Amino acid sequence: MSLDTATVRRVAALARLRLEEQDVARVQGELNGILGWIEQLQAVNTDGVEPMAGGTPGGVAAMPMREDVVTDGGQAEAVLANAPDREGEYFGVPKVVE
Amino acid sequence: MTYIVEGESGPWEVVIGLEVHAQITSNAKLFSGAATAFGAEPNAQVSFIDAGFPGMLPVINHECVAQAVRTGLGLNAKVNLWSRFDRKNYFYADLPQGYQISQYAHPIIGEGAIDIELADGSTKTIGITRLHLEQDAGKSQHDQHPTKSFIDLNRSGVALMEVVSEPDMRSPEEAGAYLTKLRQIMRYLGTCDGNMDEGSMRADVNVSVRKAGEGFRTRCEVKNVNSIRFVMQAVETEARRQVEVWESGGTVEQETRLFDTSRGITRSMRSKEDAHDYRYFPDPDLPPLVIDAAWVEGLKAALPELPDARRARYVRDYGITPYDAHVLTLERETAAYYETVAKGRDAKQAANWVMGDLFAAINRTKSSIAEPPVSAADLGALLDLMADGTLSGKLAKEVFEVMVETGRAPGAIVEERGLKQVTDTGAIEAVIDQVLAANADKVAEYRSGKDKLFGFFVGQTMKAMQGKGNPALVNDVLKQKLS
Amino acid sequence: MHPTDFTLAGALAALNEGAISAEELTRAHVAAVEALNPKLNAFITTTSEKALDAARASDARRKRGEAGPLEGIPLAIKDLFCTEGVRTTAGSKILGNFIPPYESTVTAQLKRDGAVFLGKANLDEFAMGSSNLTSAYGGVLNPWQRKDDPSARLVPGGSSGGSAAAVAARMALGATGTDTGGSIRQPAAFCGITGIKPTYGRCSRFGIVAFASSLDQAGPFARTVEDCAILLRSMAGHDPKDSTSANQPVPDFAAACGRSVKGMRIGVPREYRLDGMPAEIEKLWRQGLDWLRDAGAEIVDISLPHTKYALPTYYIVAPAEASSNLARYDGVRFGLRVAEKDSDLRDLYERTRAEGFGAEVRRRIMIGTYVLSAGYYDAYYLKAQKIRALIASDFDAAWAKVDAIVTPATPSAAFAEGENADDPVKMYLNDVFTVTANLAGLPGLALPTGLDHQGLPLGLQVIGRAFDEETVFAVGAALERAADFKAMPAMRAGA
């Protein structure tokens, strides 16, 4: 499977990465190089194999749970302290029209 | 009765499925320890997890899982002991992580079904496809600044249940009844407060139309409708729109639409070029959600009585009509109130008082059954005063009004205002004697056959007694004296 | 002896005996950092004043008899660990001004045990790289030099290149790293020091900037196996704030370093004998196995048949997770924002992310976004997860026959800046020996056991069963004793 330029643009848009027109061909070449190398996986027979999402044998098999107690929050200052655009007690972004 | 949209080409049937997002009642959020209470200052209930800060990790709230299971049990649905969280990836200003943690491939609750009640007294079974747990997003405010939107993350990470129905509904009424029933069940269970004004319940309404006997045609999803009335309106208007599209030779495109409540129409929400590609994959921060069958059994055993069971019991044990039972069980608080009043008393009379005088008083005083103008115990005491003959029905109504006004107990009001019914035959006779003496001409007319005048004598007697005469005794004595 | 030449264990002993104070020890390392960092660029942020304050506080604790297990030990912290009040960049421009209001669990535990932080160590951007050259804060110079070309700028490896270089150059007694595909072991090997990636779940990921959540694992660097063991004991442990953190007891890893390997079965996977592997790597490996045999271990040939698929599998799983983990860098709540005057939200996202992320990070986000996108999920991501399961089951089968596996740590010694740069895949091959342990969640330790013809360090890797770091330390310590690796980098404190 190799990517055409339309797909490269679509993927960049999905990932919210601005892609200048003059870079499309280069990026396409790099991605196709990597994907071509990954292609060898198609040769592996995985019939009947259960996918492994992560973890390790003997690790955490089931998600641990937390009690329903309020232990966090009440720290608007800290939450907002790193904001590039802070508007009072809110984060500011360019107006979103729906 | 079948709901039909009449088009130029003939009748169309409407097919409706609902995806309801219900906020889970819990103290803390689904994956963080921040509070969930409504109405806090902006960003005051935000953990760094909810704000998607670097290195922050989710840990699930046990109670939210329990609430989902309780709801699943209330929907007569299959509880999956193994489920999983996936990430739904998309960018939005109020989605701090850039993905929503949701259960896409493996929901905690599978298929179920609930019965809905329709106006003609019939019921219909609506299939439940699934229920899954997911995080809510934050809130954008667009009206605070001319060129900016403001983001408040208090809602970000609050636990939601998404309840997906089968496309089993065929009319706006059925859609409304389904939402009403779902809300009722969750409120009974205490798993969602159902406050649609506060956004605790929102519905995505899937609508398609078809000719009789056809398979399904393309559906549209009307997003984020936030009241039962609007859901019914959205179905109606969207169905009509689709019929017009088909009949004008067009094709209904599968898309997301918005219901414009001010204009009563739906409109396309997002352009097609940014087709959704959510790139779901298992959240690597969260191992599978594995729950214990015995724990589920324990939750099941502890479930409160649900509306259907309660309604049946009222008809069976209290002897009230199915309609009255339906009304009295709509809200858990109403049912509890009614049961307190009815216990050990005339259940039918209790039903009449609750549905009549009490509901009227609640409307008039703009209060609620949760904070009623008259307590259930006081209303019960009032009924007791009628049963023992202390108060006539008419006096009881007067006393009730005083109770609404003052919030005092009926016994005290009766004492204080001397409203106690006169049951002393001698006293009644004395009054009647005076009435008859003062109206000798009418007595003569009555005796000469004008029976209708009996009511006049009752009225005069009661008037003289300021309404406190026991009506039955007044009648008896009058008959005796006039014979 | 110059205080920067202590081993960590040796420094602890000296502190205990009162031969040196924490302040003196820290001052010597602060001086080393100040002298060497302008050349090596091992630290993005130095916190010398905070370090000296912490050292004085440490001396006071020791005086009160409240010394922790790492009391007064100066460390370098990979700039992927969030440190409260201290800028944490993840090697990226996009977090250039980010000051976390919280502390990672691992660094909190190190502080709890008395450690002193010298600063935030350089790394490949978001830990994506094997050279440290993807850092937005410049590359790190490997303190080692080629015999016949001392001016060649060698890379320290990556992604934890700054941590490894700092420890090798004696700017710190130890350091934290993270390892997603080899990011502790490869730089340890390139810099002639020791590093261990513990079992997945052993160290909490809370507060560590995520790269690929199902693979990321924190671990220590130090100049001896025992020093790594001492550090790991403080870093490890169950954390209720990380749902993948294992609820396993933390043993005394240092004690395990003294265990004999007599009777142990050491696996040699035939699939790790790559075509065209340099003869000196082959020789190093054989030498290591001979040492273990001499120490009484049994050497067993094993097969891990899906080894060759590990790297391409990794390059689906890791970018997929990364594409999602890095979605939060959007210029709204923290970090860089790039926007034009009339930018809408989408344009703000696209500009912020395109300018905030470097080329390698953007490349991996693109790959990850693509392999998860509609129509490709099954062919790529699901396929990779299944092959991951096969790789893990290869190891399961091996553990029936052996107690630990020994392999080369890297396919070569440190390369120079510019080499391997023409093709991303060529760079990815650096992790060919290390990535399997991440996919299977197993512990892997790298240690130096020899030098190549240029006088550069070469390392071996010991892989163990899940949560059996003790055996890994025992085998590593046996190799360390036999190798008696004494070589030192050209650039180092006190040199």
Side-chain angles (χ1 to χ4, degrees), chain B residues 20-333:
Chain B
V20 176
H21 298 262
Q23 179 180 332
I24 290 176
T25 301
S26 64
N27 299 317
K29 294 181 180 180
L30 180 56
F31 292 116
S32 86
T36 60
F38 181 79
E41 290 297 306
N43 291 307
Q45 293 178 167
V46 180
S47 78
F48 298 119
I49 299 165
D50 311 320
F53 271 55
M56 292 296 100
L57 297 171
V59 180
I60 202 165
N61 180 338
H62 185 263
E63 176 63 10
C64 295
V65 177
Q67 293 287 56
V69 170
R70 288 185 191 108
T71 308
L73 294 168
L75 302 176
N76 312 298
K78 179 173 184 282
V79 177
N80 294 320
L81 300 180
W82 190 98
S83 64
R84 192 183 75 193
F85 285 91
D86 297 309
R87 291 186 183 176
K88 178 180 181 177
N89 295 284
Y90 65 98
F91 287 88
Y92 204 70
D94 53 22
L95 188 74
Q97 298 163 127
Y99 55 84
Q100 179 193 36
I101 306 178
S102 180
Q103 295 188 301
Y104 175 65
H106 298 277
I108 185 164
I109 303 294
E111 289 186 350
I114 57 172
D115 288 338
I116 59 171
E117 288 79 37
L118 301 169
D120 63 2
S122 65
T123 62
K124 180 174 177 177
T125 302
I126 306 296
I128 303 291
T129 313
R130 54 185 280 165
L131 176 157
H132 67 253
L133 282 162
E134 62 184 27
Q135 305 174 290
D136 203 350
K139 236 178 153 53
S140 302
Q141 301 200 358
H142 306 301
D143 53 3
Q144 310 254 335
H145 189 282
T147 60
K148 290 179 183 182
S149 291
F150 286 7
I151 310 298
D152 171 15
L153 298 178
N154 280 347
R155 283 197 75 95
S156 174
V158 165
L160 299 179
M161 299 178 274
E162 180 174 332
V163 184
V164 182
S165 83
E166 292 291 306
D168 285 349
M169 286 154 274
R170 296 288 177 271
S171 68
E173 188 205 354
E174 289 181 12
Y178 168 78
L179 205 53
T180 304
K181 188 59 176 283
L182 192 59
R183 179 173 179 274
Q184 184 192 19
I185 291 170
M186 293 191 293
R187 283 173 55 85
Y188 262 67
L189 292 167
T191 58
C192 171
D193 66 22
N195 289 337
M196 299 188 87
D197 296 346
E198 296 177 1
S200 295
M201 265 179 92
R202 283 114 69 192
D204 297 343
V205 189
N206 286 292
V207 180
S208 65
V209 296
R210 66 176 175 187
K211 294 282 193 175
E214 277 187 352
F216 294 135
R217 294 198 184 200
T218 310
R219 63 188 160 85
C220 289
E221 184 182 23
V222 186
K223 273 267 182 218
N224 258 326
V225 188
N226 62 5
S227 86
I228 292 171
R229 188 165 60 91
F230 288 152
V231 165
M232 295 169 71
Q233 282 176 14
V235 168
E236 214 175 312
T237 180
E238 175 60 15
R240 216 176 306 119
R241 185 192 71 85
Q242 289 183 17
V243 166
E244 280 164 23
V245 170
W246 289 120
E247 292 199 330
S248 63
T251 306
V252 170
E253 299 284 341
Q254 182 159 350
E255 62 175 349
T256 305
R257 302 182 67 83
L258 261 187
F259 182 60
D260 184 331
T261 52
S262 57
R263 292 156 69 198
I265 57 160
T266 70
R267 58 181 167 85
S268 190
M269 196 169 161
R270 285 166 189 147
S271 55
K272 294 293 286 178
E273 41 131 9
D274 190 22
H276 283 246
D277 188 342
Y278 289 126
R279 290 159 285 137
Y280 286 101
F281 76 107
D283 190 328
D285 287 333
L286 294 165
L289 174 55
V290 182
I291 53 176
D292 182 51
W295 179 68
V296 174
E297 281 310 309
L299 291 179
K300 195 173 185 175
L303 286 187
E305 186 183 33
L306 287 172
D308 287 355
R310 200 161 214 174
R311 199 175 59 239
R313 178 164 63 82
Y314 284 12
V315 173
R316 189 182 64 234
D317 295 355
Y318 292 143
I320 62 176
T321 66
Y323 176 77
D324 286 359
H326 170 70
V327 171
L328 289 169
T329 53
L330 272 178
E331 299 281 347
R332 191 178 176 178
E333 289 90 345

Side-chain angles (χ1 to χ4, degrees), chain A residues 78-84 91, chain B residues 48 51-56, chain C residues 44-45 79-104 120 126 137 207-210 328-329 332-337:
Chain A
V79 166
L80 292 157
N82 280 282
F91 298 100
Chain B
F48 298 119
F53 271 55
M56 292 296 100
Chain C
I44 293 173
T45 305
D79 204 15
L80 203 63
F81 292 78
C82 289
T83 41
E84 189 173 354
V86 176
R87 181 174 76 138
T88 300
T89 68
S92 181
K93 199 173 148 187
I94 211 161
L95 283 177
N97 56 5
F98 176 60
I99 297 174
Y102 45 83
E103 186 80 25
S104 83
K120 304 301 289 289
F126 282 101
Y137 302 89
I208 301 174
V209 176
R328 65 189 58 198
Y329 305 103
V332 174
R333 296 164 314 287
F334 44 77
L336 181 74
R337 171 184 287 196

